[in-house]
Amino acid sequence: MLFNSFRFLLFFPCVFFLYYALPFRFRKYMLLFASYYFYMCWKPEFIVLILLSTAIDYLCGLGIGKCRTNRRAAGAFLAVSLFMNLGLLFFFKYFNFFGETLTALCRAASIPFSAPALNIILPVGISFYTFQTLSYTIDVYRGRLEPERDFVNFALFVSFFPQLVAGPIETAANLLPQLKQEHRFSYDNAAWGLKLMVWGFFKKLVIADRLAVLFVDPVYQNPGEYSGGAFLIATAAFAFQIYCDFGGYSDIARGCAKTMGIDLMVNFKAPYLFSASVSEYWKRNHISLTEWFHDYVYISLGGNRKGPWKKALFVTVTFFLSGLWHGAGWTFVTWGLLQALYLNVESLFRRKGKGKRPRPLSMLRGLAARLWTFGLCCFSLVFFRAGTMGEALYVIRHSVSGWRRPLSYIRAALESLDPGPFTLAPVLLSLLLLFLFDLANERGDAIQKLSARPLWVRWPVYTAFLLLLLVLIPKEGTTPFLYFQF
């Protein structure tokens, strides 16, 4: 079920009403049933995978809890959890990718071997709920968490519908206790959650979908028809498309959960506006996944404790796996390795500044650092968006054609994209609103600040914003959320 669908507009109010109408002891059963129904709206048979993953990790968690004094036995239960969950993920997401890679290597070595190719459908959200349930068994093994004995509570933690298919990837330490608490209806929670959901819909429907339809898809689906600045504009547009698409989903998920009194973690903090380095970018972008890889991969490898060279190796391995997590293709692997390269170079040349710079110089330096970081992110996103390595290299190679004549370069790009003033104006207006909201949010909760304003101030703002949302939704229709494919 898509958030941006008519079915969800019927589903969510029903769940919200039942959540507060039912006695507390029945709510978890209703939410679990609703979450399974929500997921089964895509393909009912894939619910078996969630049930299997849930049952395995529930039993492994109990087994680890009973073997606290026997690390070998506890490690065996953890190994079963890792093997089963990662095995399912590998089969559905990576079997054909590694088979094709092995076949290509054998052909290059003149070895007569061809790996079988299976007609496998990728279950939506499998990467997200696999990582979420794995974090539970690892935390129980590390002694951070007591095993959950109520199967329904644990199953709800794995499948809680607002963040089931595209995150944020929650930890059991944060989400499980909230699912066990009795939340009474709160007007403030409901109002704040609904406002955040509306803002999420604006980011998705107005900004992300419009950028996709006008700039990103035409260029990247037909790269041979474009050159020069068109690639730069399309890539920059994709950077904001993926931020608003995924950030919009996260906002809708957080708002939906908040109406029921449940707090999900913030997944984005204005990554393009305030990131003066790639390391800061990864503290603000897809935070739940970044923290997952940091806690369960980077720290497990050794983190910062093994010296600078091993640290660089651990960063590379971590982002190599992060690239694979995003997609079964060498374009995603390249994207991940570029992030590792950026971070390792930053770490190598990072030095503490000597003395205080004059304020104007500091502001200019900060602006230059943000633009440089955005440029590095856009360069790597070429590989993230392109269908193949060949297309990515074509885009990079042809992006620089004509740049020696800047005015002609920009004019040719706009002529090839042909946005027109009435098409470009809504894009610029919506991006300006995004900038202002992110700026206000950095200095405190923007929604709460607006809610504290007098009635005669906030209601005209709400009305104008809703009208703007309805007017600016692309007539071409909406698209699925990008991270559903991961």
Side-chain angles (χ1 to χ4, degrees):
M1 185 187 303
L2 296 172
F3 281 160
N4 53 333
S5 67
F6 181 72
R7 181 183 287 183
F8 181 76
L9 294 180
L10 297 177
F11 168 82
F12 173 65
C14 292
V15 173
F16 177 79
F17 173 78
L18 288 173
Y19 183 77
Y20 289 109
L22 289 172
F24 170 66
R25 65 182 181 275
F26 296 126
R27 288 181 184 177
K28 62 183 180 181
Y29 300 101
M30 184 277 297
L31 272 183
L32 183 61
F33 175 81
S35 298
Y36 285 158
Y37 171 77
F38 179 86
Y39 189 78
M40 290 171 68
C41 285
W42 275 283
K43 202 168 182 61
E45 52 266 38
F46 283 145
I47 196 66
V48 175
L49 296 178
I50 293 183
L51 291 171
L52 180 61
S53 181
T54 301
I56 290 170
D57 288 311
Y58 172 75
L59 294 173
C60 286
L62 292 178
I64 293 170
K66 291 181 179 179
C67 301
R68 292 290 193 193
T69 57
N70 188 339
R71 298 297 289 175
R72 180 174 294 182
F77 280 109
L78 177 63
V80 170
S81 173
L82 292 170
F83 177 78
M84 294 300 296
N85 284 282
L86 295 178
L88 288 172
L89 184 61
F90 174 86
F91 176 76
F92 283 97
K93 192 168 183 176
Y94 303 108
F95 183 86
N96 285 338
F97 167 67
F98 283 104
E100 291 168 1
T101 302
L102 180 60
T103 299
L105 290 174
C106 289
R107 287 177 180 173
S110 301
I111 299 174
F113 174 80
S114 180
L118 303 179
N119 186 20
I120 303 173
I121 300 175
L122 180 66
V124 66
I126 188 172
S127 298
F128 288 91
Y129 69 73
T130 297
F131 271 29
Q132 181 154 311
T133 190
L134 273 179
S135 70
Y136 164 80
T137 51
I138 296 173
D139 282 348
V140 173
Y141 177 78
R142 288 177 173 178
R144 295 179 178 177
L145 196 69
E146 290 297 317
E148 175 57 47
R149 301 189 179 281
D150 188 319
F151 180 78
V152 174
N153 284 335
F154 180 74
L156 184 56
F157 157 71
V158 176
S159 62
F160 185 48
F161 76 88
Q163 45 86 229
L164 170 60
V165 295
I169 302 171
E170 284 288 349
T171 61
N174 178 51
L175 186 54
L176 257 176
Q178 296 188 75
L179 296 174
K180 297 177 184 180
Q181 294 173 3
E182 181 177 2
H183 300 281
R184 298 185 182 277
F185 174 78
S186 165
Y187 172 81
D188 290 338
N189 283 344
W192 188 90
L194 289 173
K195 291 170 189 175
L196 186 60
M197 290 177 71
V198 171
W199 175 245
F201 280 118
F202 180 84
K203 288 166 72 174
K204 164 60 179 170
L205 301 178
V206 174
I207 304 179
D209 286 354
R210 185 175 288 274
L211 290 173
V213 169
L214 294 178
F215 302 110
V216 182
D217 292 346
V219 173
Y220 273 93
Q221 289 175 0
N222 304 283
E225 299 179 10
Y226 297 89
S227 63
F231 291 125
L232 295 184
I233 293 174
T235 303
F238 178 65
F240 283 97
Q241 179 202 350
I242 196 168
Y243 165 45
C244 291
D245 190 285
F246 193 24
Y249 183 96
S250 297
D251 287 342
I252 298 169
R254 289 178 59 226
C256 183
K258 187 65 175 180
T259 62
M260 294 178 278
I262 297 170
D263 291 307
L264 300 181
M265 70 178 298
V266 176
N267 215 11
F268 292 87
K269 293 181 180 178
Y272 299 134
L273 188 58
F274 295 103
S275 298
S277 64
V278 176
S279 58
E280 186 175 359
Y281 170 79
W282 282 111
K283 294 175 183 176
R284 293 175 171 274
N285 184 69
H286 204 168
I287 299 169
S288 64
L289 183 69
T290 302
E291 291 185 355
W292 197 99
F293 273 106
H294 178 270
D295 292 345
Y296 301 110
V297 177
Y298 179 72
I299 295 300
S300 298
L301 289 173
N304 302 335
R305 303 188 305 271
K306 304 291 185 177
W309 291 107
K310 286 191 175 180
K311 175 187 173 182
L313 175 62
F314 299 156
V315 168
T316 303
V317 172
T318 300
F319 274 93
F320 171 82
L321 294 175
S322 178
L324 269 183
W325 180 91
H326 280 87
W330 290 110
T331 51
F332 293 103
V333 171
T334 304
W335 169 83
L337 291 177
L338 281 172
Q339 306 307 313
L341 176 64
Y342 297 158
L343 291 168
N344 286 329
V345 171
E346 277 186 7
S347 180
L348 182 64
F349 289 99
R350 187 179 293 124
R351 296 288 186 271
K352 294 183 178 180
K354 296 181 179 180
K356 292 185 178 180
R357 296 179 177 85
R359 184 172 177 79
L361 184 60
S362 297
M363 293 176 64
L364 289 173
R365 183 174 178 272
L367 177 61
R370 285 164 173 78
L371 291 174
W372 174 252
T373 302
F374 180 70
L376 292 176
C377 292
C378 285
F379 179 79
S380 64
L381 283 174
V382 172
F383 295 93
F384 198 98
R385 179 58 180 84
T388 64
M389 287 293 293
E391 289 180 4
L393 295 175
Y394 178 91
V395 169
I396 292 170
R397 189 167 59 251
H398 288 78
S399 294
V400 297
S401 60
W403 66 273
R404 294 179 182 275
R405 293 177 294 176
L407 293 179
S408 300
Y409 184 78
I410 295 172
R411 188 186 307 113
L414 293 175
E415 287 176 355
S416 62
L417 292 169
D418 192 24
F422 294 104
T423 303
L424 194 58
V427 173
L428 296 177
L429 175 60
S430 58
L431 289 175
L432 175 62
L433 290 175
L434 175 68
F435 171 84
L436 294 174
F437 185 90
D438 282 349
L439 187 63
N441 231 25
E442 188 71 11
R443 300 174 180 178
D445 191 312
I447 293 177
Q448 286 187 353
K449 285 182 178 180
L450 181 59
S451 300
R453 296 289 182 180
L455 189 70
W456 61 271
V457 173
R458 64 178 186 269
W459 276 104
V461 173
Y462 297 153
T463 304
F465 185 79
L466 287 173
L467 290 175
L468 196 64
L469 173 63
L470 295 174
V471 169
L472 294 183
I473 294 177
K475 296 179 180 179
E476 296 83 355
T478 62
T479 59
F481 288 90
L482 288 174
Y483 266 69
F484 282 11
Q485 63 185 293
F486 307 135

